[in-house]
Amino acid sequence: MKRHIVALLADALEQLKRDGKLPVDADPEIQVERARDRAHGDYAANTAMMLAKVARKPPRELAEAIRAALPPSPDVASVEVAGPGFLNFILTPAARLASIRRAVDEGADYGRGKPGSLGSALVEFVSANPTGPLHVGHGRGAAFGDALANLLEAAGWCVHREYYVNDAGRQMDILALSLWLRYLQAAGEMVPFPEKGYRGEYLIEHARELLSREPRRFIRPAADLADGLSADEPEAYLDALVGRARDALGADDYRAVLDFALDAILDDIRDDLEAFSVSFHNYFSERDLADRIEPAIQRLTDAGHTYKADGALWFRASAFGDDKDRVLRRENGVTTYFAADVAYHLDKLERGFDALVDVWGSDHHGYVPRLRAALTALGADPKRLEVHLVQFAILYRGGEKLPMSTRAGEFVTLRELRDEVGKDAARFFYAMRRAEQHLDFDLDLAKSQSADNPVYYVQYAHARIYSVFRQLGERGLTHDTARGAENLHLLETEHEEAVIDLIGRYPEIVEGAAAAREPHQIAQYLRELAAAFHTYYKAVPFIVDHPALRDARLTLITALRRVVANGLAILGVSAPERM
RNA sequence: GCCCCGGUAGCUCAGCAGGAUAGAGCAGCCGCCUCCUAAGCGGCAGGUCGCAGGUUCGAAUCCUGCCCGGGGCACCA
């Protein structure tokens, strides 16, 4: 409809140019938007005000001229000039009601774009290091990433969801060491636990599990494990302990411990995400990248963008907009995380996605320029990579800021949040806010307010509609959908106008939210829609004696129920039939 | 020091590819269940949109500077 009105305006401007009332080179971008106020009609255009200067005419006079030049349309009932020179379009009732029929007929597809019509996107999100359970910061990334993926899919993208598993490198060694030490402790050995190890309770539990499966296999004399090591340099101390653990266990058993720890934690993360209604097509292992890192580095070298200095191999990132150059291969020959990430994104590009959508924690923002630089250096269009930064929630409990450290094991887990406020409330709560918005997350408040959470408000609208139909059955009546569809013109209270208007907007909301990559627009819209419904519900009885009017109202709330369900599905929130 | 994000009602936040009177929820106050779920509805009150300039017919929205808050600036991942 919006495009239709733009086309009408374009025709009118051409007509005015032919009549010499407008300079031929006047070629404004025609902006049509939904009127914010229903008194301003359905759609509004500011075209006359934008053209007033070049046309050297007062905006209202110009608006009048455009109005007169508009070709007739079966969908437009009238056009008014208003305010400083707006053109307000009022649709015919039939045009306005068309969306109600579509919502009923198309059901779950209402508001969705043609599948794949916008291209293909790889959405990478969460990608939390597999060293411990997900915490509430990851929860925000999961909720945002999943909603964004759903949203893009709804708008017409073909979406692939991926979780990048950092299962290589030093942190895995520290994890293996930490698990092994807990295992020895569980077996009754007196071994000290390093300050910088992963201290979380979860590892103690995983260690007990390992001990019950393998009561003897990983036992080693460990009393002297730390002998002669200085703990003054905690990180170096940790690395030394890792070395001794590897020696004590031997390569095979060391690897077995590491894999056990990794599998246990990844399984836990997967279960957690599933319960959070988040799923992935693929968990991409950093280890599987092993043989692709050197070729990626080679490609950068072949293109002349690397050099050696201080014994390391550097990427000339500063030539592509980054602050400084970045190391690809360290002095000790080990490639960096960055090198792996370049290989990973090169792999994504080679898989042929039109858009690489990365959802990262905002603490990684300094990392964006170097990755973009690398892709540019490799000859890719840097615009294919878009990175969305999600601010971590800063947690407060009892007015105190909570420390968040995976290694120290001090964090509120996503699971705890879910147990406390429920999956739907947590998902909606996260989805309501813009991702880059800082979030003071007062746990006491969030938990105490759970009954006031707007998610219930929206879900209740859905459940209430089901309730109306249950009531209908109890009164021995049925909904004649054909009669309802034929009698939508009977819906003329102001409350019905408002609901019809909002349902008609839904496809535009999806399109706009997807284009802006802002799932929170869906949440905002749903609150508005639910509010319009609850007001309508209170003011107007649906189950009335007049059959045609009754069926028309039931058709309208059926359409509304569909839109609520479709919108909630994008946010990963359930649409209950009763509450 | 440099970079990113934010500063809108008492609180938490929408609104920001400029547009017609700045919105919502919560908290506060006043009302509403012989009526399809009161997890609801109606109403009242609450704002120099951080500050100062600039661009524009028009600025919460764009530009510049400053102030305040958060985060980031690794041969960690």
Side-chain angles (χ1 to χ4, degrees):
Chain A
M1 185 55 67
K2 192 185 273 185
R3 289 193 195 97
H4 175 60
I5 291 170
V6 170
L8 295 177
L9 282 164
D11 277 3
L13 295 185
E14 285 307 313
Q15 182 63 41
L16 290 175
K17 285 180 193 175
R18 277 196 296 276
D19 296 348
K21 292 177 182 168
L22 261 183
V24 279
D25 58 341
D27 205 16
E29 184 196 351
I30 297 175
Q31 296 176 4
V32 173
E33 56 184 31
R34 280 283 185 172
R36 292 185 185 177
D37 188 332
R38 288 200 43 75
H40 298 149
D42 294 291
Y43 289 88
N46 60 356
T47 316
M49 288 180 290
M50 290 177 71
L51 282 169
K53 202 165 193 181
V54 283
R56 283 193 287 274
K57 285 190 182 115
R60 284 192 65 105
E61 186 182 313
L62 192 57
E64 195 53 53
I66 295 171
R67 191 177 78 89
L70 282 169
S73 160
D75 295 330
V76 177
S78 64
V79 180
E80 287 170 3
V81 174
F86 286 99
L87 283 160
N88 291 338
F89 291 76
I90 294 122
L91 299 183
T92 61
R96 203 177 290 124
L97 293 172
S99 58
I100 306 305
R101 293 198 186 87
R102 285 223 315 280
V104 172
D105 294 344
E106 295 173 15
D109 286 333
Y110 178 66
R112 297 184 78 89
K114 190 163 167 270
S117 60
L118 297 180
S120 63
L122 189 157
V123 180
E124 183 213 323
F125 61 111
V126 188
S127 300
N129 291 338
T131 55
L134 299 175
H135 56 62
V136 291
H138 299 128
R140 194 176 187 191
F144 173 77
D146 183 62
L148 178 59
N150 292 339
L151 177 59
L152 291 174
E153 212 157 53
W157 286 83
C158 181
V159 175
H160 184 83
R161 300 140 187 271
E162 201 157 279
Y163 183 127
Y164 182 53
V165 184
N166 298 135
D167 53 7
R170 180 170 177 261
Q171 62 176 353
M172 286 296 103
D173 288 321
I174 299 170
L175 178 69
L177 171 71
S178 301
L179 179 77
W180 185 53
L181 293 176
R182 291 304 193 198
Y183 171 91
L184 293 174
Q185 286 176 341
E189 299 277 336
M190 296 296 287
V191 288
F193 198 87
E195 189 66 31
K196 295 275 182 171
Y198 292 113
R199 307 185 65 90
E201 183 73 22
Y202 59 93
L203 267 190
I204 297 174
E205 284 162 26
H206 292 320
R208 285 199 194 108
E209 168 66 20
L210 180 61
L211 185 68
S212 72
R213 276 197 224 174
E214 299 281 0
R216 273 182 294 277
R217 179 175 166 193
F218 304 111
I219 303 288
R220 299 289 186 279
D224 58 349
L225 200 67
D227 283 7
L229 297 180
S230 162
D232 293 346
E233 296 278 344
E235 299 292 346
Y237 173 67
L238 204 56
D239 289 334
L241 277 181
V242 166
R244 290 192 178 182
R246 202 193 307 259
D247 291 343
L249 282 164
D252 288 349
D253 279 359
Y254 178 79
R255 183 58 182 234
V257 169
L258 192 156
D259 283 347
F260 177 84
L262 177 63
D263 289 346
I265 287 171
L266 259 186
D267 283 348
D268 178 71
I269 288 175
R270 251 187 280 253
D271 289 348
D272 202 10
L273 287 171
E274 196 170 324
F276 203 49
S277 297
V278 174
S279 62
F280 292 90
H281 294 102
N282 189 24
Y283 282 75
F284 192 103
S285 163
E286 184 183 351
R287 286 182 189 171
D288 293 346
L289 228 37
D291 56 352
R292 274 178 257 178
I293 295 176
E294 284 303 333
I297 293 175
Q298 193 57 46
R299 278 187 59 172
L300 285 170
T301 302
D302 291 346
H305 302 310
T306 64
Y307 62 91
K308 283 186 177 149
D310 305 327
L313 183 72
W314 296 71
F315 164 55
R316 207 180 298 279
S318 60
F320 299 93
D322 196 4
D323 293 343
K324 49 183 107 165
D325 296 341
R326 307 293 175 177
V327 170
L328 290 164
R329 193 186 307 111
R330 300 182 184 99
E331 199 171 349
N332 63 11
V334 179
T335 53
T336 58
Y337 173 84
F338 172 57
D341 218 14
V342 172
Y344 177 41
H345 282 80
L346 186 59
D347 180 79
K348 288 186 187 178
L349 286 171
E350 286 170 349
R351 279 187 272 164
F353 294 100
D354 298 315
L356 307 184
V357 180
D358 286 8
V359 176
W360 295 351
S362 64
D363 53 333
H364 287 68
H365 97 265
Y367 194 81
V368 179
R370 84 186 68 165
L371 185 58
R372 204 179 289 284
L375 296 185
T376 309
L378 288 167
D381 176 0
K383 285 197 286 291
R384 281 169 71 188
L385 173 70
E386 47 179 271
V387 181
H388 298 281
L389 301 173
V390 179
Q391 292 283 340
F392 282 143
I394 303 160
L395 294 174
Y396 293 84
R397 172 174 275 151
E400 296 285 314
K401 189 172 170 181
L402 291 188
M404 293 284 284
S405 161
T406 305
R407 281 203 213 166
E410 296 169 340
F411 47 78
V412 177
T413 64
L414 177 58
R415 187 169 276 122
E416 286 165 353
L417 180 72
R418 212 155 29 70
D419 289 344
E420 198 101 28
V421 308
K423 183 267 280 183
D424 285 336
R427 289 281 317 242
F428 199 88
F429 192 82
Y430 282 129
M432 271 169 48
R433 286 156 172 79
R434 283 168 58 211
E436 60 272 30
Q437 176 76 37
H438 288 247
L439 176 57
D440 286 344
F441 200 139
D442 186 326
L443 286 168
D444 301 324
L445 201 66
K447 289 165 186 171
S448 71
Q449 280 190 342
S450 62
D452 299 325
N453 196 301
V455 68
Y456 299 116
Y457 185 76
V458 175
Q459 287 181 317
Y460 186 42
H462 188 267
R464 256 188 163 173
I465 293 170
Y466 267 92
S467 172
V468 170
F469 280 90
R470 282 192 294 270
Q471 184 65 222
L472 187 73
E474 282 166 24
R475 294 191 199 177
L477 296 167
T478 55
H479 176 205
D480 184 331
T481 54
R483 187 162 59 193
E486 284 161 18
N487 287 289
L488 292 173
H489 59 275
L490 297 175
L491 304 174
E492 48 195 9
T493 68
E494 57 173 320
H495 305 295
E496 283 155 347
E497 295 271 309
V499 168
I500 290 164
D501 181 55
L502 281 166
I503 290 173
R505 281 174 196 233
Y506 179 67
E508 292 163 21
I509 297 285
V510 170
E511 192 183 333
R517 313 292 195 246
E518 292 184 346
H520 79 274
Q521 289 187 23
I522 302 294
Q524 298 292 335
Y525 166 82
L526 287 174
R527 290 176 68 176
E528 216 181 315
L529 182 65
F533 169 73
H534 288 306
T535 300
Y536 177 35
Y537 177 95
K538 189 70 184 177
V540 179
F542 306 144
I543 304 174
V544 291
D545 291 337
H546 188 309
L549 181 61
R550 181 177 67 230
D551 286 330
R553 285 181 175 157
L554 293 173
T555 295
L556 178 62
I557 63 172
T558 298
L560 193 149
R561 198 204 81 216
R562 261 334 318 181
V563 175
V564 171
N566 293 358
L568 285 175
I570 288 173
L571 302 181
V573 176
S574 67
E577 295 182 11
R578 66 174 80 225
M579 291 171 73

